[in-house]
Amino acid sequence: MSSTPDSLPPLREVIATYGLGARKSLGQNFLLDLNLTGRIARAAGDLAGCTVYEVGPGPGGLTRALLAEGASRVVAVERDERCLAALADVAAAFANRLEVIPADALEMDELALFGTSGLPVKVVANLPYNVGTALLIKWLRLPVWPPWWASLTLMFQREVALRLVARPSDPDYGRLSILTQWRARPRLLFDVSPKAFVPPPKVTSTIVSITPLDRPVAEAPLEALEQVTAAAFNQRRKMLRASLRSLGDPDTLLATAGIEPTARPEDLPVAAFCALARALAART
Ligand code: SAM
């Protein structure tokens, strides 16, 4: 059993030793290049004095980098029990600064997990593609803001990353852009080629950094904001007086929010959706 970071075997060997053949159903595309995992860990900024929350450590390539870059503590949630023995080796090599929780990250109550830790929590993850967007939405739609996390440094399919940062009138602008930009600042950091993964995915990936704003771009009740964006982008090219009809009396709603009935959802800034959400909440 390895007991220092330097004596951990190469990841290819770990995968062979523990029989960690990638499973598509778990969104498994592993990063084996420790230079790249180091770059991703450094993209999260100074990790000293931080707890890092990693979803899906798999064989532990990014996990090793996060620990080597100085994270005080890494809490990693992994659904695939085949990976636990390999991760136990990483924990032993890094003096037990790694805690592995065998669980589904979608079910985790992070506030209960980190609420009293006192250290800032940075989320860093090469997310499984099949649940990446659902996890991000879970971390964005919290009732309390600022959130339990200090930053998110996440790998997404490039197509999803572009939706997070899209501005009004961009083709990728939509519900996810608004939910993200309402209370946070997303930035694209760098692309990662499919060739960097085993097995290679079909598309390019992008590392994204998301930091919470102290306060939202404009006040809005979360549920109402989700209702108006869902209705509006259900028919994104229609004028708002048509697309908001499903919410009832769109003309009054638009007048209360001070928005032209002929405006189109794809052109409307985040603050305008907030005004619509406030108008909707005030009406019900
Ligand atoms: N971090 C590793 C790397 O960079 O090589 C693995 C990344 S792989 C894209 C995604 C990982 O998430 C896999 O290890 C998979 O088993 C795990 N996973 C998938 N769904 C999960 C879930 N709902 N909760 C926790 N982990 C999950």
mmCIF file of all heavy atoms in Angstrom, residues 175-201:
data_model
loop_
_atom_site.group_PDB
_atom_site.id
_atom_site.type_symbol
_atom_site.label_atom_id
_atom_site.label_comp_id
_atom_site.label_asym_id
_atom_site.label_seq_id
_atom_site.Cartn_x
_atom_site.Cartn_y
_atom_site.Cartn_z
ATOM 1 N N ARG A 175 -32.617 29.850 -20.061
ATOM 2 C CA ARG A 175 -32.938 29.706 -18.632
ATOM 3 C C ARG A 175 -31.694 29.509 -17.774
ATOM 4 O O ARG A 175 -31.576 30.064 -16.696
ATOM 5 C CB ARG A 175 -33.871 28.507 -18.438
ATOM 6 C CG ARG A 175 -35.216 28.735 -19.027
ATOM 7 C CD ARG A 175 -36.035 27.448 -19.034
ATOM 8 N NE ARG A 175 -36.380 27.026 -17.687
ATOM 9 C CZ ARG A 175 -37.044 25.903 -17.415
ATOM 10 N NH1 ARG A 175 -37.417 25.103 -18.388
ATOM 11 N NH2 ARG A 175 -37.357 25.596 -16.182
ATOM 12 N N LEU A 176 -30.756 28.684 -18.276
ATOM 13 C CA LEU A 176 -29.553 28.383 -17.483
ATOM 14 C C LEU A 176 -28.660 29.633 -17.365
ATOM 15 O O LEU A 176 -28.059 29.876 -16.318
ATOM 16 C CB LEU A 176 -28.790 27.214 -18.124
ATOM 17 C CG LEU A 176 -27.740 26.532 -17.272
ATOM 18 C CD1 LEU A 176 -28.306 26.004 -15.963
ATOM 19 C CD2 LEU A 176 -27.085 25.386 -18.040
ATOM 20 N N SER A 177 -28.599 30.432 -18.436
ATOM 21 C CA SER A 177 -27.811 31.683 -18.390
ATOM 22 C C SER A 177 -28.392 32.596 -17.311
ATOM 23 O O SER A 177 -27.658 33.216 -16.531
ATOM 24 C CB SER A 177 -27.872 32.436 -19.726
ATOM 25 O OG SER A 177 -27.990 31.580 -20.817
ATOM 26 N N ILE A 178 -29.715 32.683 -17.279
ATOM 27 C CA ILE A 178 -30.364 33.627 -16.354
ATOM 28 C C ILE A 178 -30.216 33.154 -14.909
ATOM 29 O O ILE A 178 -29.845 33.928 -14.025
ATOM 30 C CB ILE A 178 -31.842 33.817 -16.759
ATOM 31 C CG1 ILE A 178 -31.883 34.539 -18.109
ATOM 32 C CG2 ILE A 178 -32.615 34.587 -15.697
ATOM 33 C CD1 ILE A 178 -33.190 34.458 -18.819
ATOM 34 N N LEU A 179 -30.477 31.860 -14.675
ATOM 35 C CA LEU A 179 -30.346 31.339 -13.310
ATOM 36 C C LEU A 179 -28.914 31.525 -12.811
ATOM 37 O O LEU A 179 -28.677 31.868 -11.658
ATOM 38 C CB LEU A 179 -30.748 29.858 -13.272
ATOM 39 C CG LEU A 179 -30.694 29.202 -11.897
ATOM 40 C CD1 LEU A 179 -31.673 29.860 -10.926
ATOM 41 C CD2 LEU A 179 -30.974 27.705 -11.985
ATOM 42 N N THR A 180 -27.934 31.330 -13.692
ATOM 43 C CA THR A 180 -26.524 31.458 -13.295
ATOM 44 C C THR A 180 -26.156 32.925 -13.055
ATOM 45 O O THR A 180 -25.595 33.278 -12.014
ATOM 46 C CB THR A 180 -25.604 30.886 -14.393
ATOM 47 O OG1 THR A 180 -26.016 29.562 -14.684
ATOM 48 C CG2 THR A 180 -24.150 30.872 -13.948
ATOM 49 N N GLN A 181 -26.485 33.780 -14.011
ATOM 50 C CA GLN A 181 -26.007 35.161 -13.952
ATOM 51 C C GLN A 181 -26.813 36.036 -12.994
ATOM 52 O O GLN A 181 -26.398 37.143 -12.651
ATOM 53 C CB GLN A 181 -26.004 35.764 -15.357
ATOM 54 C CG GLN A 181 -25.014 35.077 -16.277
ATOM 55 C CD GLN A 181 -25.195 35.462 -17.735
ATOM 56 O OE1 GLN A 181 -25.518 36.596 -18.061
ATOM 57 N NE2 GLN A 181 -24.978 34.510 -18.627
ATOM 58 N N TRP A 182 -27.959 35.543 -12.575
ATOM 59 C CA TRP A 182 -28.785 36.300 -11.627
ATOM 60 C C TRP A 182 -28.014 36.570 -10.327
ATOM 61 O O TRP A 182 -28.022 37.672 -9.796
ATOM 62 C CB TRP A 182 -30.063 35.487 -11.352
ATOM 63 C CG TRP A 182 -30.941 36.051 -10.282
ATOM 64 C CD1 TRP A 182 -31.312 37.355 -10.109
ATOM 65 C CD2 TRP A 182 -31.571 35.300 -9.230
ATOM 66 N NE1 TRP A 182 -32.123 37.464 -9.018
ATOM 67 C CE2 TRP A 182 -32.307 36.224 -8.466
ATOM 68 C CE3 TRP A 182 -31.602 33.951 -8.879
ATOM 69 C CZ2 TRP A 182 -33.049 35.838 -7.353
ATOM 70 C CZ3 TRP A 182 -32.352 33.564 -7.787
ATOM 71 C CH2 TRP A 182 -33.064 34.499 -7.032
ATOM 72 N N ARG A 183 -27.311 35.519 -9.816
ATOM 73 C CA ARG A 183 -26.650 35.680 -8.523
ATOM 74 C C ARG A 183 -25.185 35.256 -8.546
ATOM 75 O O ARG A 183 -24.569 35.103 -7.498
ATOM 76 C CB ARG A 183 -27.348 34.845 -7.449
ATOM 77 C CG ARG A 183 -28.813 35.084 -7.320
ATOM 78 C CD ARG A 183 -29.375 34.512 -6.051
ATOM 79 N NE ARG A 183 -29.601 33.073 -6.107
ATOM 80 C CZ ARG A 183 -30.275 32.392 -5.193
ATOM 81 N NH1 ARG A 183 -30.784 33.018 -4.148
ATOM 82 N NH2 ARG A 183 -30.448 31.092 -5.306
ATOM 83 N N ALA A 184 -24.625 35.054 -9.730
ATOM 84 C CA ALA A 184 -23.238 34.581 -9.779
ATOM 85 C C ALA A 184 -22.555 35.112 -11.039
ATOM 86 O O ALA A 184 -23.199 35.646 -11.940
ATOM 87 C CB ALA A 184 -23.207 33.053 -9.767
ATOM 88 N N ARG A 185 -21.224 34.952 -11.044
ATOM 89 C CA ARG A 185 -20.438 35.401 -12.207
ATOM 90 C C ARG A 185 -19.743 34.195 -12.809
ATOM 91 O O ARG A 185 -18.809 33.655 -12.197
ATOM 92 C CB ARG A 185 -19.433 36.451 -11.737
ATOM 93 C CG ARG A 185 -18.515 36.919 -12.830
ATOM 94 C CD ARG A 185 -17.749 38.159 -12.418
ATOM 95 N NE ARG A 185 -16.794 38.479 -13.451
ATOM 96 C CZ ARG A 185 -15.486 38.246 -13.370
ATOM 97 N NH1 ARG A 185 -14.969 37.713 -12.291
ATOM 98 N NH2 ARG A 185 -14.699 38.560 -14.379
ATOM 99 N N PRO A 186 -20.199 33.740 -13.975
ATOM 100 C CA PRO A 186 -19.538 32.613 -14.629
ATOM 101 C C PRO A 186 -18.462 33.084 -15.601
ATOM 102 O O PRO A 186 -18.627 34.114 -16.262
ATOM 103 C CB PRO A 186 -20.691 31.956 -15.405
ATOM 104 C CG PRO A 186 -21.611 33.093 -15.731
ATOM 105 C CD PRO A 186 -21.423 34.171 -14.694
ATOM 106 N N ARG A 187 -17.347 32.347 -15.677
ATOM 107 C CA ARG A 187 -16.279 32.670 -16.631
ATOM 108 C C ARG A 187 -15.771 31.387 -17.260
ATOM 109 O O ARG A 187 -15.604 30.376 -16.561
ATOM 110 C CB ARG A 187 -15.099 33.348 -15.920
ATOM 111 C CG ARG A 187 -15.300 34.811 -15.632
ATOM 112 C CD ARG A 187 -14.106 35.394 -14.879
ATOM 113 N NE ARG A 187 -13.804 34.629 -13.677
ATOM 114 C CZ ARG A 187 -12.582 34.297 -13.281
ATOM 115 N NH1 ARG A 187 -11.528 34.645 -14.001
ATOM 116 N NH2 ARG A 187 -12.385 33.608 -12.175
ATOM 117 N N LEU A 188 -15.491 31.424 -18.571
ATOM 118 C CA LEU A 188 -14.880 30.275 -19.233
ATOM 119 C C LEU A 188 -13.376 30.351 -18.993
ATOM 120 O O LEU A 188 -12.773 31.406 -19.222
ATOM 121 C CB LEU A 188 -15.140 30.323 -20.748
ATOM 122 C CG LEU A 188 -16.605 30.417 -21.202
ATOM 123 C CD1 LEU A 188 -16.680 30.386 -22.733
ATOM 124 C CD2 LEU A 188 -17.440 29.296 -20.608
ATOM 125 N N LEU A 189 -12.767 29.269 -18.542
ATOM 126 C CA LEU A 189 -11.320 29.316 -18.279
ATOM 127 C C LEU A 189 -10.516 28.713 -19.425
ATOM 128 O O LEU A 189 -9.738 29.391 -20.058
ATOM 129 C CB LEU A 189 -10.997 28.622 -16.963
ATOM 130 C CG LEU A 189 -11.606 29.286 -15.713
ATOM 131 C CD1 LEU A 189 -11.074 28.624 -14.456
ATOM 132 C CD2 LEU A 189 -11.328 30.780 -15.659
ATOM 133 N N PHE A 190 -10.689 27.421 -19.706
ATOM 134 C CA PHE A 190 -9.964 26.828 -20.846
ATOM 135 C C PHE A 190 -10.680 25.569 -21.315
ATOM 136 O O PHE A 190 -11.433 24.943 -20.563
ATOM 137 C CB PHE A 190 -8.491 26.546 -20.504
ATOM 138 C CG PHE A 190 -8.261 25.698 -19.283
ATOM 139 C CD1 PHE A 190 -8.202 24.317 -19.367
ATOM 140 C CD2 PHE A 190 -8.085 26.300 -18.036
ATOM 141 C CE1 PHE A 190 -7.971 23.544 -18.234
ATOM 142 C CE2 PHE A 190 -7.863 25.529 -16.897
ATOM 143 C CZ PHE A 190 -7.806 24.148 -17.002
ATOM 144 N N ASP A 191 -10.400 25.241 -22.582
ATOM 145 C CA ASP A 191 -10.992 24.036 -23.176
ATOM 146 C C ASP A 191 -10.123 22.820 -22.897
ATOM 147 O O ASP A 191 -8.901 22.948 -22.737
ATOM 148 C CB ASP A 191 -11.098 24.200 -24.701
ATOM 149 C CG ASP A 191 -12.215 25.158 -25.095
ATOM 150 O OD1 ASP A 191 -13.066 25.463 -24.235
ATOM 151 O OD2 ASP A 191 -12.229 25.598 -26.260
ATOM 152 N N VAL A 192 -10.752 21.667 -22.868
ATOM 153 C CA VAL A 192 -10.023 20.399 -22.708
ATOM 154 C C VAL A 192 -10.447 19.483 -23.858
ATOM 155 O O VAL A 192 -11.647 19.222 -24.061
ATOM 156 C CB VAL A 192 -10.323 19.744 -21.336
ATOM 157 C CG1 VAL A 192 -9.551 18.445 -21.189
ATOM 158 C CG2 VAL A 192 -9.984 20.702 -20.192
ATOM 159 N N SER A 193 -9.436 19.016 -24.589
ATOM 160 C CA SER A 193 -9.709 18.187 -25.773
ATOM 161 C C SER A 193 -10.251 16.818 -25.361
ATOM 162 O O SER A 193 -9.871 16.278 -24.312
ATOM 163 C CB SER A 193 -8.396 18.023 -26.537
ATOM 164 O OG SER A 193 -8.416 16.835 -27.281
ATOM 165 N N PRO A 194 -11.107 16.220 -26.211
ATOM 166 C CA PRO A 194 -11.594 14.861 -25.908
ATOM 167 C C PRO A 194 -10.437 13.890 -25.695
ATOM 168 O O PRO A 194 -10.549 12.928 -24.939
ATOM 169 C CB PRO A 194 -12.388 14.479 -27.163
ATOM 170 C CG PRO A 194 -12.760 15.766 -27.821
ATOM 171 C CD PRO A 194 -11.689 16.759 -27.448
ATOM 172 N N LYS A 195 -9.293 14.165 -26.345
ATOM 173 C CA LYS A 195 -8.146 13.241 -26.271
ATOM 174 C C LYS A 195 -7.563 13.135 -24.859
ATOM 175 O O LYS A 195 -6.814 12.204 -24.558
ATOM 176 C CB LYS A 195 -7.034 13.713 -27.222
ATOM 177 C CG LYS A 195 -7.355 13.399 -28.680
ATOM 178 C CD LYS A 195 -6.182 13.736 -29.564
ATOM 179 C CE LYS A 195 -6.219 15.186 -29.966
ATOM 180 N NZ LYS A 195 -5.226 15.665 -30.863
ATOM 181 N N ALA A 196 -7.919 14.106 -23.997
ATOM 182 C CA ALA A 196 -7.357 14.090 -22.637
ATOM 183 C C ALA A 196 -8.038 13.052 -21.736
ATOM 184 O O ALA A 196 -7.567 12.791 -20.639
ATOM 185 C CB ALA A 196 -7.501 15.479 -22.011
ATOM 186 N N PHE A 197 -9.163 12.492 -22.219
ATOM 187 C CA PHE A 197 -9.953 11.598 -21.369
ATOM 188 C C PHE A 197 -9.831 10.143 -21.819
ATOM 189 O O PHE A 197 -9.609 9.855 -22.993
ATOM 190 C CB PHE A 197 -11.445 11.962 -21.459
ATOM 191 C CG PHE A 197 -11.790 13.352 -21.026
ATOM 192 C CD1 PHE A 197 -11.704 14.418 -21.912
ATOM 193 C CD2 PHE A 197 -12.241 13.608 -19.734
ATOM 194 C CE1 PHE A 197 -12.052 15.707 -21.526
ATOM 195 C CE2 PHE A 197 -12.592 14.887 -19.339
ATOM 196 C CZ PHE A 197 -12.498 15.939 -20.228
ATOM 197 N N VAL A 198 -10.049 9.247 -20.866
ATOM 198 C CA VAL A 198 -10.164 7.815 -21.168
ATOM 199 C C VAL A 198 -11.502 7.331 -20.632
ATOM 200 O O VAL A 198 -11.719 7.409 -19.419
ATOM 201 C CB VAL A 198 -9.021 7.030 -20.498
ATOM 202 C CG1 VAL A 198 -9.223 5.529 -20.716
ATOM 203 C CG2 VAL A 198 -7.677 7.452 -21.081
ATOM 204 N N PRO A 199 -12.440 6.889 -21.473
ATOM 205 C CA PRO A 199 -12.406 6.985 -22.928
ATOM 206 C C PRO A 199 -12.698 8.429 -23.367
ATOM 207 O O PRO A 199 -13.280 9.188 -22.598
ATOM 208 C CB PRO A 199 -13.560 6.052 -23.333
ATOM 209 C CG PRO A 199 -14.533 6.124 -22.197
ATOM 210 C CD PRO A 199 -13.700 6.303 -20.955
ATOM 211 N N PRO A 200 -12.310 8.803 -24.605
ATOM 212 C CA PRO A 200 -12.572 10.173 -25.055
ATOM 213 C C PRO A 200 -14.070 10.393 -25.291
ATOM 214 O O PRO A 200 -14.707 9.559 -25.921
ATOM 215 C CB PRO A 200 -11.800 10.292 -26.371
ATOM 216 C CG PRO A 200 -11.459 8.896 -26.773
ATOM 217 C CD PRO A 200 -11.572 8.009 -25.586
ATOM 218 N N PRO A 201 -14.639 11.480 -24.775
ATOM 219 C CA PRO A 201 -16.036 11.802 -25.095
ATOM 220 C C PRO A 201 -16.139 12.300 -26.541
ATOM 221 O O PRO A 201 -15.101 12.530 -27.174
ATOM 222 C CB PRO A 201 -16.374 12.905 -24.097
ATOM 223 C CG PRO A 201 -15.061 13.534 -23.760
ATOM 224 C CD PRO A 201 -14.006 12.485 -23.920
#
